[in-house]
Amino acid sequence: MGREDYFQSAVLVPLIQLEESWHLLFQVRAANIRQGDEICFPGGGFDPDKDRSFQDTALRETYEELGIKRESIELLGPLDTLITPMDVLVEPYLAILHISSLSEMEISRDEVASIFTIPLDELEVLSFENYQVRMEMHPFSINPEDGRKEIHFPGRDLNLPERYHDSWGNQMHNILAYRSHAGTIWGITARILKEFITLLQE
């Protein structure tokens, strides 16, 4: 219920064998796009005009970003759905990339700055840092241009209790971070990575 209120997306969690060792592939987003310079898995938003399923989304975005065709991707199955406090819903899919080297990829420089891998034996022993941020509901904001108060949720006019006339809520939200050799993996990508590692260790 309410799925349509979320930004719905899918990512591929790609395994690749390099020199007889299994690695997980990551990419660094191009600097000029949303969340630029951040580490992520290939993926993006569900497009009802192009995708029949979230699996289609993950495969399509992987091709658009890394140039890997569907016939070179062996899907192993979905991981758990991730729902974030920022109204983002992510469907991750674990897959094997059947390519012999990273040079086979045709990277879209409009979306991807670089790629890198981390060996699975290194991932199995990594440790995450856990931070907390406070989440609050703000029923109004102040326009920085003219200083006017802009009402987003009229708790007073709706005759709700006074506690809803001003900011409310004090929920703490966990944010995971992992310092890799290529930069910090954090947020959604770190949460999916932790889920993958848990499966790896079972």
Side-chain angles (χ1 to χ4, degrees):
M1 186 182 300
R3 177 182 279 264
E4 67 278 2
D5 295 332
Y6 289 80
F7 174 74
Q8 301 183 59
S9 62
V11 300
L12 202 73
V13 182
L15 289 162
I16 182 171
Q17 191 171 24
L18 300 172
E19 299 178 356
E20 301 183 355
S21 175
W22 285 100
H23 294 236
L24 205 57
L25 177 73
F26 298 86
Q27 62 188 40
V28 180
R29 297 170 66 84
N32 61 331
I33 64 174
R34 186 172 60 89
Q35 294 180 295
D37 296 321
E38 296 187 24
I39 296 171
C40 64
F41 293 116
F46 174 81
D47 186 338
D49 295 327
K50 299 178 181 178
D51 307 323
R52 294 171 299 175
S53 66
F54 287 103
Q55 177 178 300
D56 283 350
T57 303
L59 292 170
R60 174 180 56 79
E61 289 283 351
T62 300
Y63 175 69
E64 292 176 1
E65 295 170 2
L66 301 178
I68 303 174
K69 296 181 179 179
R70 293 187 181 211
E71 52 264 33
S72 297
I73 301 174
E74 178 186 351
L75 283 167
L76 301 179
L79 301 177
D80 285 345
T81 300
L82 176 62
I83 301 173
T84 79
M86 305 304 291
D87 292 340
V88 175
L89 186 150
V90 187
E91 301 285 1
Y93 292 88
L94 185 62
I96 295 174
L97 305 183
H98 289 289
I99 57 177
S100 57
S101 72
L102 300 181
S103 63
E104 292 185 32
M105 299 183 190
E106 297 179 10
I107 298 172
S108 169
R109 295 301 177 185
D110 291 335
E111 297 188 69
V112 181
S114 61
I115 58 174
F116 67 95
T117 67
I118 301 178
L120 293 194
D121 56 1
E122 180 179 326
L123 289 175
E124 286 187 289
V125 297
L126 69 79
S127 59
F128 288 93
E129 299 170 31
N130 190 14
Y131 300 95
Q132 290 190 320
V133 294
R134 189 173 69 179
M135 307 289 291
E136 286 186 342
M137 307 293 286
H138 295 276
F140 64 87
S141 62
I142 304 300
N143 188 311
E145 295 182 1
D146 56 20
R148 293 175 57 187
K149 186 176 183 178
E150 299 180 353
I151 303 295
H152 309 298
F153 180 73
R156 190 184 305 276
D157 290 345
L158 292 171
N159 200 30
L160 296 179
E162 190 173 345
R163 62 180 173 272
Y164 299 115
H165 300 177
D166 205 341
S167 301
W168 75 86
N170 190 21
Q171 181 180 355
M172 302 303 291
H173 172 61
N174 291 323
I175 296 181
L176 298 178
Y178 164 62
R179 301 173 194 261
S180 78
H181 65 271
T184 300
I185 300 170
W186 73 288
I188 288 174
T189 305
R191 182 67 65 177
I192 295 171
L193 177 59
K194 190 174 187 296
E195 167 76 4
F196 168 74
I197 292 170
T198 299
L199 292 174
L200 195 64
Q201 294 172 338
E202 289 181 351

